[in-house]
């Protein structure tokens, strides 16, 4: 786990670096909206569009309390909170990401509804049946003990509550080309196949509601992102803020991984039975 959080931590000083980059681009922190941060804080394929799909799948109200397992820089949590009024608790292994997530929520006036803490998604310490819904977005790729991850989601979710998993899965096209945005090499990358994920969720006790493979849209999303950057230059802040210069190669590998069907992007919605 230490290797995983070291990979994501980057060079340090991320809050100050992002604040400076936004200022240099003429953006005022006082009037920032959650969507303005999407190029850096929706750290998953298809960005904010995927978070909007998660909202559709979760059926939330302003009274809901949602757990985000592996909340990163907090983009999905803020999108859920802003658009539904719900409260979100994010748990993430990478301490620096929790600091950034907390600062971003202050900048965008979402601090009352989003809270982030350092922790392991396989053992959050939250009480049993204490949340109305749970999500995990592009996290299980870093976790070898997937039964523990899904058992923890099941434990903290109230009966009848929904759990959405949006993850990168192993495709039929062969081994992943590294580096990728979640790992420099195979030592911290543990991809399940769609069949394995389905079986793992069922073994944890979940009832499957739906499964959507968005791999084709994911490829188009990456191609559009690259075309936009070639045409207009990069946005003021990108994942390169913490992934460094390797991000260019990672993005190119993701295009190849998707085109060659080495990876799939899949969203599964399930529930803890009553
Ligand atoms: C690719 S990022 C996704 C972040 C966020 N879910 C999003 O979509 O914007 C993967 C995140 O998983 C976190 N992570 C990996 N293993 C974890 C674990 N065992 N417990 C909690 N967080 C973990 C990393 O620290 C990182 O923030």
């Amino acid at each position: 786990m230490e290797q995983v959080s070291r990979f994501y931590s980057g060079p340090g000083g991320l809050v100050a670096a992002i604040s400076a980059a936004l200022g240099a681009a003429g953006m005022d922190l006082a009037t920032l909206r959650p969507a303005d941060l999407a190029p850096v804080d929706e750290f998953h394929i298809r960005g904010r569009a995927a978070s909007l799909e998660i909202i559709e799948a979760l059926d939330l109200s302003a009274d809901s309390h949602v757990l985000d397992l592996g909340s990163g820089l907090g983009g999905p949590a803020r999108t859920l909170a802003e658009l539904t009024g719900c409260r979100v608790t994010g748990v993430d292994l990478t301490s620096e990401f929790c600091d950034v997530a907390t600062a971003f929520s202050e900048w965008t006036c979402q601090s009352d509804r989003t809270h982030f803490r350092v922790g392991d998604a396989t053992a959050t310490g939250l009480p049993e049946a204490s949340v109305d819904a749970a999500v995990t977005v592009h996290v299980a790729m870093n976790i070898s003990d997937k039964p523990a991850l899904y058992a923890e989601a099941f434990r903290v979710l109230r009966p009848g509550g929904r759990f959405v998993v949006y993850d990168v899965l192993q495709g039929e096209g062969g081994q992943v080309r590294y580096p990728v945005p979640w790992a420099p090499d195979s030592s911290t990358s543990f991809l399940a196949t769609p069949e394995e994920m389905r079986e793992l969720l069922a073994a944890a006790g979940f009832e499957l509601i739906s499964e959507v493979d968005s791999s084709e849209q994911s490829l188009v999303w990456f191609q559009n992102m690259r075309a936009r950057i070639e045409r207009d230059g990069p946005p003021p802040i990108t994942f390169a803020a913490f992934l460094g210069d390797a991000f260019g190669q990672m993005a190119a590998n993701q295009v190849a991984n998707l085109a060659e069907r080495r990876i799939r992007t899949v969203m599964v919605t399930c529930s803890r039975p009553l």
Side-chain angles (χ1 to χ4, degrees):
M1 274 193 283
E2 220 181 287
Q3 223 183 323
V4 171
S5 64
R6 212 175 320 118
F7 168 74
Y8 286 115
S9 286
L14 202 48
V15 174
I18 292 173
S19 159
L22 290 171
M27 295 171 81
D28 181 1
L29 291 195
T31 58
L32 220 51
R33 294 158 307 147
D36 296 326
L37 294 168
V40 73
D41 74 0
E42 295 270 9
F43 185 20
H44 50 264
I45 302 174
R46 297 188 305 114
R48 191 168 162 95
S51 294
L52 299 180
E53 291 168 8
I54 292 171
I55 292 179
E56 289 286 308
L58 280 182
D59 195 20
L60 300 172
S61 76
D63 295 328
S64 305
H65 179 204
V66 183
L67 172 63
D68 185 354
L69 293 158
S71 44
L73 292 86
R78 269 182 299 278
T79 299
L80 264 62
E82 182 198 22
L83 299 183
T84 71
C86 73
R87 193 160 53 91
V88 185
T89 297
V91 174
D92 198 283
L93 205 58
T94 305
S95 159
E96 173 134 51
F97 278 6
C98 293
D99 292 344
V100 174
T102 301
F104 281 7
S105 284
E106 280 165 16
W107 297 352
T108 56
C109 305
Q110 298 294 318
S111 296
D112 51 341
R113 285 185 290 217
T114 55
H115 299 97
F116 302 96
R117 55 157 93 158
V118 181
D120 178 1
T122 65
T124 62
L126 288 176
E128 159 122 29
S130 60
V131 300
D132 301 300
V135 299
T136 186
V137 183
H138 284 37
V139 176
M141 307 100 76
N142 285 133
I143 298 180
S144 58
D145 191 353
K146 295 188 208 307
L149 173 67
Y150 298 137
E152 182 65 354
F154 189 89
R155 188 187 68 77
V156 298
L157 192 58
R158 68 163 168 75
R162 288 193 173 186
F163 178 40
V164 170
V165 182
Y166 174 46
D167 259 318
V168 178
L169 301 181
Q170 178 64 52
E172 65 280 18
Q175 285 307 303
V176 171
R177 293 179 189 271
Y178 295 99
V180 285
W182 68 89
D185 52 45
S186 63
S187 65
T188 51
S189 179
F190 312 99
L191 301 192
T193 64
E195 296 72 27
E196 284 165 348
M197 184 165 81
R198 233 173 276 137
E199 283 166 16
L200 284 160
L201 288 167
F206 288 107
E207 263 173 17
L208 269 59
I209 297 172
S210 68
E211 178 176 330
V212 179
D213 186 319
S214 55
S215 306
E216 300 303 320
Q217 294 100 301
S218 293
L219 179 56
V220 171
W221 182 82
F222 264 113
Q223 288 167 334
N224 287 345
M225 182 208 272
R226 294 180 78 193
R228 229 178 12 251
I229 290 175
E230 272 168 31
R231 193 187 58 227
D232 305 332
I237 40 167
T238 68
F239 304 139
F242 43 89
L243 294 176
D245 292 341
F247 177 58
Q249 185 60 53
M250 292 172 178
N253 285 343
Q254 287 294 73
V255 171
N257 284 326
L258 283 160
E260 294 162 9
R261 302 178 73 87
R262 294 169 192 271
I263 60 170
R264 315 293 298 160
T265 54
V266 176
M267 190 177 291
V268 171
T269 303
C270 49
S271 68
R272 177 173 172 167
L274 285 167

